[in-house]
Amino acid sequence: MDEVEALPERSRRVVEVLDGLGLTGRVRELPDSTRTAAEAAQALGCEVGAIANSLVFMADDAPLLVMTSGRHRVNVDLLAERLGKQKIRRAKPDEVRAATGQAIGGVAPIAHPAPVETVVDTALADYPTLWAAAGTPNTVFPLTHTELVKITGGVEVRVD
């Protein structure tokens, strides 16, 4: 069995999408959970800010994926103002799964059942290599800020 076949199904779907987009970063399965940015940074030996957290919100009743730096929190009121939304709130676990097909703590920026409006935190541009979840709480893949914006079709916004 090759290393892709050994990955969980959701991560194999991420690999398919990455391959289709021509990205060369490989999905890595880590031995421990990377559910939080701090756990991921420790496991990967990188700064917590280089972790591209995938946070799902509901913005005016539609899902909104916010790819934010692990070094700070999203200011939902400020983000709503910047995006012209009435209200943004954290999505419930069932809303996250419905929008992305993935569970909280492992949401990849890609490989969702349907496109999800996405915001990419401008703070992520501070890091040459980012690490994003790959569909499960203990799978990740590397990419650049430019690649993240491109593959998500995301709008670059400061979120804190």
Side-chain angles (χ1 to χ4, degrees):
M1 178 182 326
D2 72 15
E3 60 186 64
V4 172
E5 289 173 347
L7 291 171
E9 181 181 338
R10 285 185 186 91
S11 298
R12 288 194 308 268
R13 176 72 183 119
V14 170
V15 170
E16 289 173 15
V17 173
L18 289 172
D19 287 348
L21 293 168
L23 267 69
T24 58
R26 295 291 90 201
V27 171
R28 291 176 50 184
E29 188 166 21
L30 301 172
D32 298 314
S33 171
T34 54
R35 194 175 294 272
T36 69
E39 289 173 346
Q42 184 174 2
L44 293 163
C46 68
E47 291 182 52
V48 72
I51 302 301
N53 276 342
S54 305
L55 304 176
V56 181
F57 295 86
M58 297 303 290
D60 298 340
D61 298 319
L64 174 69
L65 176 62
V66 177
M67 299 301 302
T68 185
S69 171
R71 75 180 188 221
H72 60 245
R73 295 187 179 273
V74 175
N75 180 328
V76 293
D77 295 331
L78 191 60
L79 185 59
E81 182 181 310
R82 289 179 175 156
L83 296 177
K85 306 287 185 185
Q86 293 296 314
K87 181 179 180 183
I88 296 178
R89 66 167 173 82
R90 286 298 287 261
K92 297 174 185 161
D94 60 321
E95 293 170 322
V96 172
R97 192 173 291 278
T100 67
Q102 302 158 358
I104 292 173
V107 174
I110 54 173
H112 308 138
V116 176
E117 180 181 2
T118 303
V119 167
V120 177
D121 185 357
T122 56
L124 290 167
D126 294 345
Y127 302 92
T129 300
L130 304 174
W131 291 91
T136 70
N138 65 330
T139 55
V140 294
F141 68 98
L143 74 170
T144 67
H145 176 261
T146 301
E147 289 170 334
L148 181 61
V149 171
K150 182 179 177 182
I151 68 173
T152 62
V155 175
E156 293 182 78
V157 177
R158 184 169 173 192
V159 302
D160 68 334

